[in-house]
Amino acid sequence: MWHTNTNTIAHLLLTILFFMLSQTTATHFNNSSLEGKALVATNWWPQYVNASNHCTWDGILCNEAGSVIEIFLYDHDKLEGNLGSLDFSSFPNLDTLEIDKCGLEGSIPEQIGLLSNLTQLSLWGNRLSGNLPLSLTNLTHLEYLYLSGNSFSGELPVWLTKLTHLEYLDLSEYLYLSMNNFSGELPAALANLTHLEYLSLSSNNFSGELPVWLTKLTHLESLYLENNQLRGPIPPSYGSMLNLTDLYLGTNHLNASIPHEIGNLQNLKWLNLGDNNFDGPIPSSFGNLSQLYYLNLGMNAISGDIPLDIANLINLQNLYLNHNSLVGHVLGNLSRLSYLDVSSNQLSGNLSFQKPCSLQHLDVSMNHITGAFESFRVCQHLQYLDLSSNNFVGRELEEFDFPVLEFLNQSLNQNLAAFSPNLNREHMPRNKLVYLIIFLPIILGFCLLLLTYVCYTNHKATLKNIKTETQKHGNVCSMLNYDGTIAYEDFITATEDFDLKYCIGTGGYGSVYEAKLPNGQIFALKKLHRFEAEQPAFDQSFKNEVQMLINLRHKSIVRLYGFCLHNKCNFLVYEYMEKGSLFCTLSNSELAVEVDWMKRVSIIKDVAQALAYMHHDCSPPIVHRDISTNNILLNSKMEGFIGDFGAARLLDPDSSNRTLIVGTLGYIAPELAYNMIVTEKCDVYSFGVVALETIGGKHPGDLLSSLNHSTSHGIMLENILDKRLPYPTNRSIEKEIMRVCNVAFACILTDPKCRPTMRNVSQEISC
């Protein structure tokens, strides 16, 4: 028996194999060669050491004359070696060369160009590096080229377009060339790939204008160019790309008016032109895009009215027109939409919706729109409603008016106008009109002062009663949006004075207990440890969490029902989450398999939407500072919620926002260690780690540094996925997962300026 290093043996055997294959195309090896049956699954260890016919080896296929026509080696991830040991001139009839996941290192040698009959070349999942050799252009019969999952560098070679028989090119998983550092103008030679159906160059540094030659790709169905440095107008000739279903040009520097020819793309389902510098009107021809499901024109300088023809888009579900210069009316007959954002425009006129209304997200804030608050009650599916900074009137809406509403903002409107007398001033005597004009503001002002005084007096009395009650009983319990009769003693009884058997988790500064009340309602109580409750820092953290959660209203943020300040202990009363933390679920193999791929993607979307709300819909913005799988909670439906706001912080635009390093090790953004300045991008980084951990089933660990360095280049999807779940065979699910992974890679970039905002993240993974 040999006693030696397994990797050394594997390396030696691979070298011997390459040598033996390169020295003969005859039928037999000599007597000193290793015998076949070198199964791919057994690390190249031969079962026999007698003379053998090399054509019987697994992974080797010969023709009738004994000449090798196919080499197929797969999943030797512990092998080491390079392609330089292989004499390519010995394989004149080789048709297929596939050496995948075999740990190959070094570069592809120029001699590979000697394989003149090769039709399929696959080297994916190795550790190959350097530039692609020019000699690949000699492989004029090549139809399939798979090079993904390596570490190739340099510019995207133009000479690839000389491979005129190429049908499938894979340089990055699933034809994605996104999430790299490619720069310069888009190479015009790509126009020679006339059969290309899918092209993704998003999230790179491509510059220059949108090329006209893209229209030569007449079979193209999906074009992703968003998040680059592209400038100039959209060529009108893009209207001839009639097979397009997905067109993403958002987050660039494109300008001028949107050409009306885009309305010719009647197969479009997804159109993203947001976050550019487009001006002029929305083309009325957009009404021809009958298949459109998603339309994003937000964050531009678009002017004019919203075309009436937009109402003809019966399949449209998501419409973003926010942050433009639109005027006129909002079309009331868009009630079939699920998502409508027209905020920060100059829209006016009356807005009302009639049944059926399927809106779930409606944001019309920062406009001049009029109408009655009551008219929105027909939209019973609303989860997000922002009517702020407009001219709405009438009795303000209440949250209980909508069964699933999680966010409501109707501030800065003219609702008092609804209670003003309906005065016919045209027929009023002039002297009475003068008196009314002079004295009415005085009367109203006096009433306002009187109301303020009464409120102040009541508030002062309340504080006095609370102080007295606290001094007497040491007990202040405030219940929010729940039964106010529940008091401190109810929770003491339910947990038997916080007996350990009710403890369901322990956090950084407190423990969480399950409290079941006599009426059957279950709560989660977060109680500060007695010693920690006496420390000023922990006391401040407790108060901080109370203050944050009182003001936060989002469906994916854990709900605070109340809090209790007591001389013995402080605790928070939360909505109970049946499935506990995401960390515990992923750590338990039995529980982890219950969370399938779509549930995991859905949890990631929940977290992204909540963070986007905190960063972009709260004023000032709120940074959580401790996003981790421990602080993502799951309910009985496996929906994700952000919890534990003890470290959360308001971002002050007039402050340096310097901070002590807080958070969970492994999720903290690297810039905090350098400058200790907290920004929203710190949460973005933590979210990226959580997303990868959710997809992978474990903390990405050392993978983070390699991803930061290579921007996901060379990382295979199957190397990221949780092995406890079967690989997704459904193409749409696979695409969803890949979209999440691509976004996660962008979130963990070392430079915070290069990371997307949570609003962009939420939009990208929710579309």
Side-chain angles (χ1 to χ4, degrees):
M1 182 177 291
W2 294 353
H3 297 278
T4 184
N5 183 275
T6 304
N7 285 338
T8 303
I9 295 174
H11 187 185
L12 176 63
L13 292 175
L14 182 60
T15 304
I16 292 173
L17 174 70
F18 279 168
F19 175 78
M20 292 163 56
L21 289 178
S22 65
Q23 294 300 312
T24 180
T25 56
T27 308
H28 298 282
F29 287 112
N30 59 40
N31 289 336
S32 63
S33 65
L34 297 179
E35 220 257 313
K37 308 298 183 184
L39 299 175
V40 169
T42 56
N43 281 331
W44 288 92
W45 188 255
Q47 295 179 350
Y48 308 100
V49 290
N50 299 321
S52 172
N53 182 343
H54 68 278
C55 293
T56 64
W57 283 48
D58 282 3
I60 304 299
L61 181 64
C62 301
N63 60 17
E64 293 181 356
S67 181
V68 177
I69 59 174
E70 180 177 312
I71 299 175
F72 176 75
L73 312 176
Y74 177 76
D75 203 14
H76 288 269
D77 54 355
K78 293 184 178 179
L79 296 180
E80 298 177 359
N82 58 70
L83 291 172
S85 331
L86 193 59
D87 183 1
F88 292 101
S89 63
S90 300
F91 303 100
N93 298 309
L94 194 64
D95 174 82
T96 299
L97 175 60
E98 295 190 24
I99 307 179
D100 302 328
K101 295 186 65 179
C102 290
L104 291 177
E105 297 178 337
S107 60
I108 300 177
E110 289 286 345
Q111 289 77 9
I112 199 169
L114 298 174
L115 304 177
S116 57
N117 287 311
L118 206 64
T119 63
Q120 183 161 322
L121 174 61
S122 178
L123 301 172
W124 68 267
N126 289 291
R127 295 192 288 270
L128 297 170
S129 58
N131 295 328
L132 300 180
L134 181 61
S135 63
L136 282 174
T137 57
N138 298 334
L139 308 182
T140 55
H141 297 286
L142 202 62
E143 297 177 359
Y144 299 90
L145 178 58
Y146 304 78
L147 300 178
S148 63
N150 286 286
S151 299
F152 295 116
S153 58
E155 294 185 357
L156 187 64
V158 175
W159 49 256
L160 282 173
T161 59
K162 295 183 179 180
L163 303 177
T164 55
H165 288 81
L166 202 63
E167 296 180 3
Y168 193 100
L169 171 63
D170 185 354
L171 300 179
S172 178
E173 192 124 12
Y174 301 108
L175 290 180
Y176 289 143
L177 296 176
S178 59
M179 309 299 295
N180 282 287
N181 287 316
F182 292 123
S183 58
E185 296 189 354
L186 299 175
L190 287 176
N192 296 331
L193 303 177
T194 54
H195 294 283
L196 200 62
E197 296 181 358
Y198 188 105
L199 177 60
S200 177
L201 303 174
S202 60
S203 298
N204 282 287
N205 293 309
F206 287 113
S207 57
E209 297 189 350
L210 288 173
V212 176
W213 55 257
L214 276 172
T215 59
K216 295 182 180 180
L217 304 178
T218 55
H219 292 82
L220 203 62
E221 296 179 2
S222 300
L223 177 59
Y224 294 85
L225 298 177
E226 78 273 17
N227 199 17
N228 280 288
Q229 305 296 322
L230 299 171
R231 53 183 170 78
I234 299 178
S237 57
Y238 277 31
S240 65
M241 305 171 73
L242 300 181
N243 287 318
L244 278 180
T245 60
D246 299 8
L247 178 58
Y248 278 66
L249 303 177
T251 315
N252 280 288
H253 305 293
L254 303 175
N255 57 22
S257 297
I258 302 172
H260 69 87
E261 287 83 357
I262 297 298
N264 297 334
L265 306 179
Q266 297 189 19
N267 288 314
L268 270 185
K269 296 180 179 178
W270 305 83
L271 177 58
N272 183 356
L273 304 180
D275 197 8
N276 279 290
N277 299 311
F278 292 117
D279 55 23
I282 302 174
S284 59
S285 61
F286 273 26
N288 299 328
L289 305 177
S290 58
Q291 302 299 316
L292 206 59
Y293 175 86
Y294 173 94
L295 175 60
N296 186 350
L297 302 178
M299 301 180 70
N300 283 288
I302 299 173
S303 58
D305 296 339
I306 301 176
L308 294 175
D309 295 326
I310 293 292
N312 298 332
L313 305 181
I314 59 174
N315 292 306
L316 192 63
Q317 292 292 307
N318 300 271
L319 178 59
Y320 299 81
L321 300 176
N322 53 297
H323 290 83
N324 281 291
S325 299
L326 295 170
V327 297
H329 293 211
V330 180
L331 304 181
N333 53 351
L334 295 176
S335 57
R336 69 176 65 91
L337 289 172
S338 296
Y339 192 113
L340 175 61
D341 188 347
V342 295
S343 61
S344 298
N345 280 284
Q346 300 173 30
L347 297 167
S348 59
N350 187 278
L351 176 62
S352 61
F353 292 91
Q354 299 179 352
K355 293 183 179 179
C357 176
S358 57
L359 277 169
Q360 299 176 21
H361 182 114
L362 175 62
D363 190 345
V364 298
S365 61
M366 303 293 291
N367 281 287
H368 310 291
I369 302 173
T370 59
F373 285 120
E374 289 86 351
S375 64
F376 292 94
R377 289 199 178 90
V378 299
C379 300
Q380 290 292 291
H381 301 289
L382 278 170
Q383 300 175 12
Y384 183 104
L385 177 59
D386 194 339
L387 307 175
S388 60
S389 299
N390 280 288
N391 297 313
F392 290 107
V393 299
R395 186 174 70 85
E396 289 188 338
L397 301 167
E398 300 291 342
E399 289 188 5
F400 57 75
D401 291 331
F402 305 92
V404 293
L405 191 67
E406 297 293 343
F407 177 85
L408 174 62
N409 186 357
Q410 48 194 337
S411 61
L412 300 178
N413 275 286
Q414 304 298 320
N415 56 300
L416 287 176
F419 301 101
S420 299
N422 185 15
L423 301 175
N424 188 351
R425 292 174 180 174
E426 181 179 353
H427 299 92
M428 187 177 294
R430 183 172 181 179
N431 59 339
K432 291 185 179 181
L433 179 60
V434 172
Y435 289 140
L436 182 63
I437 295 174
I438 294 176
F439 290 108
L440 183 59
I442 298 176
I443 295 172
L444 291 176
F446 177 77
C447 293
L448 183 60
L449 287 174
L450 181 62
L451 180 62
T452 303
Y453 174 77
V454 171
C455 292
Y456 173 76
T457 303
N458 290 338
H459 178 66
K460 191 173 182 180
T462 301
L463 290 178
K464 183 177 180 180
N465 290 335
I466 291 176
K467 185 176 181 180
T468 303
E469 187 69 17
T470 303
Q471 292 173 345
K472 182 179 179 181
H473 302 289
N475 176 6
V476 176
C477 190
S478 174
M479 293 295 117
L480 305 178
N481 299 318
Y482 200 71
D483 185 355
T485 61
I486 297 177
Y488 172 79
E489 290 77 11
D490 295 301
F491 293 110
I492 292 296
T493 302
T495 60
E496 298 181 26
D497 199 11
F498 295 101
D499 190 281
L500 189 61
K501 66 182 179 182
Y502 294 99
C503 183
I504 57 176
T506 301
Y509 66 93
S511 298
V512 181
Y513 294 82
E514 178 182 339
K516 185 174 183 179
L517 300 182
N519 63 1
Q521 183 74 33
I522 302 178
F523 296 93
L525 306 184
K526 183 175 182 179
K527 170 183 171 291
L528 259 67
H529 301 310
R530 180 168 300 180
F531 171 78
E532 293 169 343
E534 298 171 356
Q535 306 301 313
F538 286 101
D539 184 61
Q540 180 58 40
S541 186
F542 175 86
K543 294 177 180 178
N544 190 42
E545 186 161 7
V546 171
Q547 185 61 38
M548 292 290 179
L549 286 168
I550 285 176
N551 296 318
L552 289 179
R553 305 292 292 172
H554 189 275
K555 69 181 184 67
S556 296
I557 293 178
V558 67
R559 189 169 186 181
L560 176 70
Y561 284 116
F563 63 93
C564 184
L565 301 178
H566 196 274
N567 55 11
K568 291 184 179 180
C569 67
N570 301 333
F571 62 84
L572 298 164
V573 184
Y574 283 118
E575 178 182 6
Y576 181 70
M577 294 290 165
E578 293 84 354
K579 297 297 184 179
S581 72
L582 177 59
F583 173 80
C584 291
T585 298
L586 295 177
S587 300
N588 186 308
S589 295
E590 293 183 3
L591 294 177
V593 295
E594 296 179 11
V595 192
D596 59 29
W597 293 124
M598 287 312 298
K599 287 179 181 177
R600 297 191 187 202
V601 170
S602 180
I603 291 170
I604 294 171
K605 290 180 179 180
D606 291 338
V607 176
Q609 291 169 4
L611 284 174
Y613 160 74
M614 291 165 55
H615 291 182
H616 302 283
D617 296 321
C618 295
S619 182
I622 297 174
V623 181
H624 187 279
R625 296 202 298 173
D626 196 13
I627 293 296
S628 68
T629 50
N630 262 318
N631 293 331
I632 306 302
L633 306 177
L634 307 177
N635 64 7
S636 59
K637 300 178 182 178
M638 288 295 181
E639 296 170 327
F641 296 78
I642 296 179
D644 199 341
F645 282 75
R649 177 169 176 171
L650 297 171
L651 283 188
D652 186 354
D654 299 321
S655 170
S656 64
N657 288 306
R658 286 195 173 273
T659 179
L660 296 176
I661 297 178
V662 297
T664 304
L665 189 64
Y667 301 87
I668 301 173
E671 65 267 19
L672 279 180
Y674 303 125
N675 55 31
M676 291 187 292
I677 296 178
V678 64
T679 68
E680 298 101 323
K681 295 300 181 72
C682 298
D683 280 353
V684 174
Y685 179 91
S686 302
F687 168 82
V689 179
V690 167
L692 290 174
E693 184 174 349
T694 305
I695 294 299
K698 60 182 180 180
H699 189 278
D702 295 337
L703 187 63
L704 292 178
S705 58
S706 62
L707 288 174
N708 269 312
H709 176 72
S710 63
T711 325
S712 81
H713 191 75
I715 303 297
M716 299 294 297
L717 179 60
E718 64 178 28
N719 292 338
I720 300 173
L721 297 182
D722 191 341
K723 300 299 188 295
R724 294 171 294 185
L725 292 182
Y727 189 90
T729 55
N730 184 288
R731 174 61 178 164
S732 62
I733 296 177
E734 189 179 46
K735 187 175 180 181
E736 285 271 329
I737 297 172
M738 195 64 203
R739 191 197 305 271
V740 168
C741 289
N742 283 338
V743 171
F745 295 149
C747 290
I748 62 170
L749 293 176
T750 303
D751 186 353
K753 295 180 181 178
C754 296
R755 299 173 201 155
T757 65
M758 283 311 305
R759 173 167 285 168
N760 289 338
V761 168
S762 179
Q763 291 176 352
E764 178 65 20
I765 66 177
S766 297
C767 66

